[in-house]
Amino acid sequence: QVGVADTVNFLLEHEGESLLARQVNGPELARVRTTFVTPGGFDRAAEVLDGHRVVILYGVGAGRTFAGLRMLEQHGCARIVHLNRARRLGSVKGTELRSGDGYLWDFTDQGMRPFQADEFEHTAQLVTGTADCHLVIVVGELGQIPGGAGRYSVELKPPDALAIATADIRRQQESGD
């Protein structure tokens, strides 16, 4: 019970903080474009994002964050922004979202149930109500996803390690690193 109370208190303390943590920069996007290796389940996740504009990715060791960045980059988002881990999913206000933006929210280190179903539905409605807005949520495992959000969730499987190494070596050779 103490761990749950500590998490709730932490989140309540950070309620007033900015939703936006950091915008993804040009070199980061260039790395995604040049070294991304498709994990298992990526195409299904992209379909969910296309259909709902929100997807939840899980699957340890699958490059979920990198895959999320790639999906948002493929959607041609005006900007891609990491969202503040200290904020609760249910605390999002419509005025904090911008048309054309892609958002990545990583909840992997937020405990067993980082958000509730009603918080997810609230934010999903705000995202779909904002023109050309997309949200990728990253969690560690299926058990972190509340009931009712299952249709938005996709398990990613690790991509081939040799293909990842080859892509990174090619990028280094081309950039002179």
Side-chain angles (χ1 to χ4, degrees), residues 106-140:
D106 187 340
F107 285 105
T108 54
D109 61 355
Q110 298 293 321
M112 191 55 194
R113 188 53 53 92
F115 53 89
Q116 300 301 315
D118 61 333
E119 293 179 303
F120 175 78
E121 287 299 327
H122 162 79
T123 301
Q125 287 177 3
L126 291 176
V127 169
T128 58
T130 304
D132 297 320
C133 183
H134 295 84
L135 172 63
V136 175
I137 297 173
V138 175
V139 298

Side-chain angles (χ1 to χ4, degrees), residues 57-110:
L57 304 178
Y58 68 96
V60 177
R64 298 167 308 236
T65 301
F66 212 60
L69 290 172
R70 179 64 175 173
M71 278 183 237
L72 294 171
E73 187 268 334
Q74 287 179 332
H75 272 88
C77 296
R79 65 181 183 154
I80 299 173
V81 182
H82 288 274
L83 298 183
N84 187 343
R85 293 176 178 206
R87 288 278 300 270
R88 285 184 17 263
L89 191 62
S91 71
V92 177
K93 299 172 192 70
T95 57
E96 294 178 296
L97 302 177
R98 197 163 88 182
S99 177
D101 278 0
Y103 300 104
L104 185 75
W105 211 339
D106 187 340
F107 285 105
T108 54
D109 61 355
Q110 298 293 321

Side-chain angles (χ1 to χ4, degrees), residues 35 37 159-170:
T35 64
V37 177
D160 179 65
L162 183 58
I164 295 170
T166 302
D168 197 44
I169 290 168
R170 189 176 335 110

Side-chain angles (χ1 to χ4, degrees), residues 141-153:
E141 57 189 68
L142 179 61
Q144 291 179 284
I145 302 167
R151 70 178 188 258
Y152 297 92
S153 60

